[in-house]
Amino acid sequence: MTQRLPTPPASGLSWLNTADDGPARRALLDVCACRAWAGTLLRGRPYPDPEALLAAADAAVAALTAEELAEALAGHPPIGRPAPGDPRSAREQRGMAGAAPALRAEMLRLNLAYQERFGHVFLICATGLTAGRLLDAVRERLGNPPETEREIVRTELGRINRIRLGRLLRAAAPAAPAGPEEGHPR
């Protein structure tokens, strides 16, 4: 079942459209570790609205070569082992945080089997998924042919990028000034 992801707010889009290439590139590489993907989005600026940015991001993922896809995947830690000190990684993999030791051990074993079979990290948009669902997903996908799995990975990468772009636009959006009701005098 395809989950409809929310469209990010337009207010942060002005930063992305007008930021110097260096900061914009760094922000985009934080979304997706593939230089070609970030370069494609940079060259597409300015975007008239968030939907146009998301469409460009999806098209850029679809156009990645095998090497570029591998570069993007290298930026993702294995499920169950978020990058140390990275709050985003921990947030995205929250479903594994309270998993029982046996489930965590099984996830590690299956992650390694997946990596051995396909040559890259098991990638899934883990946001909102339980540890059990993540474990079921890796079990199901281990049996896929490589070409099928490559397309699933591409889809999952696109979903992750959409969520991360939404967060980027929200973070770049100007904050509303705090009013006296929040304890700040005007």
Side-chain angles (χ1 to χ4, degrees):
M1 172 165 58
T2 303
Q3 172 185 355
R4 175 96 171 116
L5 299 173
T7 300
S11 56
L13 187 60
S14 63
W15 175 84
L16 184 61
N17 280 336
T18 60
D20 289 338
D21 281 359
R25 182 179 305 280
R26 284 189 296 279
L28 290 170
L29 286 171
D30 193 46
V31 169
C32 180
C34 177
R35 292 170 302 196
W37 181 87
T40 297
L41 292 186
L42 281 174
R43 286 187 301 279
R45 296 185 303 169
Y47 295 97
D49 53 48
E51 292 81 11
L53 172 64
L54 294 176
D58 291 343
V61 166
L64 294 178
T65 66
E67 294 79 21
E68 292 163 346
L69 187 58
E71 181 182 22
L73 294 173
H76 290 270
I79 295 294
R81 294 184 292 169
D86 182 355
R88 178 188 65 200
S89 179
R91 179 182 60 246
E92 290 176 348
Q93 294 194 30
R94 188 175 303 141
M96 286 298 294
L103 191 149
R104 293 177 74 78
E106 180 68 358
M107 180 58 85
L108 174 60
R109 185 184 74 74
L110 292 174
N111 270 330
L112 293 172
Y114 180 97
Q115 192 157 352
E116 169 110 4
R117 175 161 164 68
F118 296 110
H120 57 77
V121 69
F122 168 67
L123 188 72
I124 187 169
C125 183
T127 301
L129 298 181
T130 65
R133 179 62 192 113
L134 293 167
L135 188 62
D136 289 345
V138 71
R139 282 182 181 139
E140 291 167 16
R141 289 175 48 192
L142 262 167
N144 286 338
E147 54 280 353
T148 299
E149 190 56 25
R150 195 170 24 260
E151 290 314 307
I152 292 171
V153 164
R154 215 178 267 282
T155 299
E156 294 297 319
L157 179 63
R159 293 179 68 213
I160 293 166
N161 289 354
R162 282 175 157 261
I163 290 169
R164 289 180 176 182
L165 280 170
R167 284 195 181 103
L168 170 65
L169 294 185
R170 283 188 295 280
E181 66 279 355
E182 291 144 5
H184 301 294
R186 288 199 189 240

